[in-house]
Structure formats: structure tokens, C-alpha cells
Amino acid sequence: MKESLLHKLTILAESAKYDVSCSSSGTTRSNKAGAIGNTSGWGICHSFTEDGRCVSLLKILLTNFCLFDCAYCVNRRSNDIERVAFTPRELAELTIEFYRRNYIEGLFLSSGVIKSPDHTMEKMLRVVKDLRTLYHFNGYIHMKTIPGASQELVHQAGLYADRLSVNLEIPLEQDLKLLAPEKDHQSVYKPMHYIQQGMVQNLEDRRKFRSAPRFAPAGQSTQIIVGAAKDNDKDILHLSSALYQRQSMKRVYYSGYIPVNTYDKRLPVVKDPCLKRENRLYQADWLMRFYQFNANEILDDKNPYLDLDMDPKLAWAIRHPERFPVDVNTADYATILRIPGVGVKSAKMIIMARKHGRLNLDGLKKIGVVLKRAQYFITNNELSHYTIHEATPEYVKSVLRDTPLLPSPAQQQLSFGFTE
């Protein structure tokens, strides 16, 4: 590799590492004659460098030149850093050479904004178009959409990329105006809307013509920065919930704020990224997407932040003892899903298993129910009557939090043979 190209690669790969929304492909496409690569339905296999970065995708910026001066961004216009840019042909060749050497399985392409959103999109579009048409690359491509880009360019990008995404970045408009005065939410929602329109139109086209080219088959995603402004978890979850109402939105990613511009007084002073808060938000997001919770149930005005010492599902159950205990032999699927210690797979297996007889403790353990948690929230003929009502919510909270304040229930009250 030429030294100049390696230099660009070093700088632009480093600049791209703060974007977290590239974790899976979400689409399936087999290899075909005359083409290179494929994508897998369960997502691209990952490996990680020492700093936790995914390296199975070539995660890269086209350039770190940028018109904008966002307070939280390492590539902001006012930062005194070395600026470089790939040409579209250079980046396409680099991607295909890395793929041939088995370094990567796909491309995650983002960019700073140069001259204008449309000018930047045209250059990014040239990269993915060359990969698909010139090099016949059939692997996964995730392409960022530049806020403010035209509908035509977004549409063309969707014909070549598997997934498109637009970063929302700051949850509340007033905070975005403070930290990134040149941006607004409207410029983000517009391309999101264009992507959604493209996907809906593509569904119609493919119903009529099976040979119609697919448009962004892996849908769209977005990323929210957590902890850079005064927003709380309730604000973030309500925003995510609204985004998931859009048919095309597949994932909302949460990125704990990393202080890269500590000199900017508009930003909070933090020593470490708020990774635990980020993790709790992902758990709450999971509850909304797979456990039939809505954002209002997880957090409200009285409880605007997620408890960092316990997962959101357990916290909800402790706040709502009136919903328990649940009889696992008679309750419906939606009710069983709400029991702490019962996952989606376990809930489905409970429904299936009880068609063949009543479930006992051994059966629940074999299904995968975490009885250490679930014991306070379920009834079963074999369990002593020591539910959350007898134990009290305060006691259950103290023994099931991540750092228990009291001895385990098995040591103090019960002896069911549950292991830690």
C-alpha cells in the first residue's frame, strides 16, 4: 500500500471510531456467479481491537474535513487536527483489496461534510456505486446519509447500500441548537423520511415486478449520544419509541458521550464515558422491541432515569408489585414476558411446554428461567408462598440489585437449591 494511502487510512479510521451504529448487517444475500462477497442473515461476524472497535467492517470516513462545528465532535471545524480525504476511487479500491485479503466483510462509510450535504453525498455515492457496478462487490454496505441531502441522492444511495442511517445525535432540539448551532432535527428527519418513502415504494414495486432492485433492504438506523446534554433517560426512550413507530427504523444506537473536546464549556465535565447508563438504555430498548413494553411504562416523570443498579425490567416489576405473582401455568404470553428472569425464548417455551402438563420447578429450570430472580414474581405449587408481597419490594430490590446489600435469599430465607 502506498504510504500516502496508509496515512489517510490511519487518520480516517481513527476519526470514524466514535460512530457505534454499525453492528450488524440485518440482510441476507448469497454469493453469485461473477460477483464478490455475500451477506449473512444473522449479521456480519465481528472481531474487536483493544479499544473495542469492530474491525470486520471497514469503518471509515471519506474525509474528516467538515463545515460544521459541533461541540461534541472530534472532527469539528475549529479543531486543529490534520485533515485528509480519500477520492472515491481510492476508497473503493481499498475496500475491495481488504475484502480480497479477508480483512473485512463489508464497508461502513461515513464522512464529514464538505462544501454541501449534496456534494458530500455524491462523493460517497460514487464509492458504493463503483463497488457494486465496477468491482461487483456483493458484500454488506452501510452508508451514512448526510443531513440535508436531497431526496434523489438518498434514493440512489438506497439502491446500492444495504443499510442507510442518519445520526440524530442530540435527543432534544434545544440542546442540539446549543451544541451544534448549524444543525436542526428537521435536517435529520427529512432524509429519514426519504428512506422510509423509498422502502415503502420499493415494497410496492416488488409486488408488481419481482425483478425490481431492492432499496436499503436492511432498513435504516440512527445514533443518539447519551450524556452530552441535559436530556434524561425518559426523553431518550420516548424519542426512540417514536422512531420505532416508523416502519423502516431497525435500530436506535446509544453512544455514551466521550469527552473529546474538553475545552468547550458547553459540554459536561466527565472523566469516563457513561457506559453503564448506555447499557441500561440498550436493555430498555430491548424491552420496547421484544417484551411489549412502552416507554411510559419503563420511565415516567417520577422516575426519569433508569436505575443503574438493576436492569429496567426488574426495576419495573419492583415498582409494580400489584402485577405479581404470576401463575406460569395459566398466564398468557404477554404476562409471562414481564416476569424478571424470563426471556422471550423461555416465555415461548413455557407456553409450549404447559400443553403437555403442569410446569414444575425442574421444568422451569430446564426451560432456562432464572429462578433466583423469578421466584419472587411467580406462583407454583412447589414454591413456598414468599412472593414480592411477603418479602416486600424493598427487600427484593436489596437482594437482586447488581451489588446486593443483603445475603442471598437462599442463605437467609429459602432453600430451593438455586445456584448463584
Side-chain angles (χ1 to χ4, degrees), residues 260-330:
V260 292
N261 300 318
T262 52
Y263 59 85
D264 196 313
K265 301 302 180 190
R266 293 171 293 175
L267 294 167
V269 178
V270 295
K271 290 183 178 177
D272 300 306
C274 43
L275 298 181
K276 203 161 189 179
R277 186 181 171 197
E278 178 185 305
N279 182 49
R280 293 302 183 209
L281 282 167
Y282 275 114
Q283 290 175 326
D285 184 283
W286 203 260
L287 292 183
M288 292 193 294
R289 291 191 295 134
F290 300 106
Y291 286 79
Q292 303 179 14
F293 279 81
N294 63 54
N296 286 323
E297 290 179 293
I298 299 170
L299 291 173
D300 53 30
D301 290 336
K302 280 180 65 180
N303 304 282
Y305 286 95
L306 295 167
D307 193 327
L308 297 182
D309 287 334
M310 68 178 71
D311 68 77
K313 186 177 174 186
L314 176 61
W316 173 85
I318 289 174
R319 289 202 308 272
H320 295 279
E322 74 280 2
R323 303 286 289 268
F324 301 99
V326 171
D327 188 337
V328 291
N329 282 298
T330 58

Side-chain angles (χ1 to χ4, degrees), residues 345-385:
K345 186 177 176 183
S346 300
K348 289 178 179 174
M349 291 181 72
I350 286 171
I351 299 293
M352 294 293 292
R354 70 189 190 189
K355 292 179 181 175
H356 306 285
R358 291 184 67 80
L359 279 167
N360 56 25
L361 285 180
D362 278 344
L364 290 174
K365 279 197 279 189
K366 286 176 183 174
I367 282 171
V369 175
V370 183
L371 288 173
K372 179 187 168 188
R373 282 174 170 257
Q375 60 178 309
Y376 299 104
F377 304 96
I378 61 176
T379 56
N380 181 297
N381 290 337
E382 296 179 53
L383 281 171
S384 300
H385 198 63

Side-chain angles (χ1 to χ4, degrees), residues 116 239 279:
S116 69
L239 176 60
N279 182 49

Side-chain angles (χ1 to χ4, degrees), residues 107-340:
L107 172 67
F108 175 89
L109 177 60
S110 185
S111 180
V113 182
I114 40 176
K115 291 188 179 178
S116 69
D118 276 355
H119 179 78
T120 310
M121 275 292 287
E122 284 174 0
K123 283 184 171 291
M124 295 170 73
L125 185 58
R126 174 52 58 188
V127 177
V128 296
K129 194 172 181 179
D130 281 356
L131 280 170
R132 294 294 195 214
T133 58
L134 192 61
Y135 297 99
H136 305 290
F137 179 67
N138 202 36
Y140 177 68
I141 296 178
H142 180 158
M143 180 176 159
K144 283 284 174 188
T145 304
I146 305 297
S150 69
Q151 185 169 8
E152 174 58 27
L153 289 171
V154 174
H155 179 74
Q156 288 188 44
L159 296 177
Y160 296 106
D162 293 285
R163 172 168 284 186
L164 297 175
S165 59
V166 199
N167 281 354
L168 200 54
E169 296 175 346
I170 304 298
L172 299 179
E173 180 87 32
Q174 63 267 30
D175 292 332
L176 182 66
K177 283 289 182 190
L178 174 68
L179 300 177
E182 295 145 315
K183 290 184 176 177
D184 58 51
H185 276 175
Q186 192 61 26
S187 64
V188 176
Y189 287 131
K190 268 190 178 176
M192 279 185 181
H193 183 60
Y194 296 154
I195 296 169
Q196 184 173 350
Q197 277 185 322
M199 293 179 69
V200 171
Q201 183 61 48
N202 188 242
L203 281 175
E204 289 294 321
D205 292 344
R206 288 180 64 82
R207 283 194 190 104
K208 297 174 185 171
F209 310 103
R210 293 189 63 185
S211 59
R214 300 181 72 187
F215 180 91
Q220 64 172 316
S221 60
T222 190
Q223 173 178 297
I224 295 173
I225 299 174
V226 177
K230 295 176 182 176
D231 46 79
N232 55 40
D233 295 340
K234 172 176 161 283
D235 296 328
I236 295 173
L237 287 186
H238 277 256
L239 176 60
S240 300
S241 176
L243 291 171
Y244 282 131
Q245 301 303 313
R246 298 167 180 247
Q247 185 183 359
S248 58
M249 183 58 67
K250 300 300 181 187
R251 285 297 304 273
V252 177
Y253 291 89
Y254 309 96
S255 174
Y257 163 64
I258 298 173
V260 292
N261 300 318
T262 52
Y263 59 85
D264 196 313
K265 301 302 180 190
R266 293 171 293 175
L267 294 167
V269 178
V270 295
K271 290 183 178 177
D272 300 306
C274 43
L275 298 181
K276 203 161 189 179
R277 186 181 171 197
E278 178 185 305
N279 182 49
R280 293 302 183 209
L281 282 167
Y282 275 114
Q283 290 175 326
D285 184 283
W286 203 260
L287 292 183
M288 292 193 294
R289 291 191 295 134
F290 300 106
Y291 286 79
Q292 303 179 14
F293 279 81
N294 63 54
N296 286 323
E297 290 179 293
I298 299 170
L299 291 173
D300 53 30
D301 290 336
K302 280 180 65 180
N303 304 282
Y305 286 95
L306 295 167
D307 193 327
L308 297 182
D309 287 334
M310 68 178 71
D311 68 77
K313 186 177 174 186
L314 176 61
W316 173 85
I318 289 174
R319 289 202 308 272
H320 295 279
E322 74 280 2
R323 303 286 289 268
F324 301 99
V326 171
D327 188 337
V328 291
N329 282 298
T330 58
D332 59 28
Y333 174 72
T335 305
I336 292 172
L337 267 183
R338 304 229 163 188
I339 303 171

Side-chain angles (χ1 to χ4, degrees), residues 12-51:
L12 294 174
E14 175 70 18
S15 297
K17 72 178 183 181
Y18 299 102
D19 201 321
V20 301
S21 58
C22 69
S23 62
S24 69
S25 68
T27 185
T28 302
R29 184 170 51 249
S30 302
N31 196 5
K32 59 184 181 183
I36 299 174
N38 58 57
T39 65
S40 301
W42 54 89
I44 291 171
C45 297
H46 301 139
S47 59
F48 296 88
T49 60
E50 288 182 354
D51 64 355

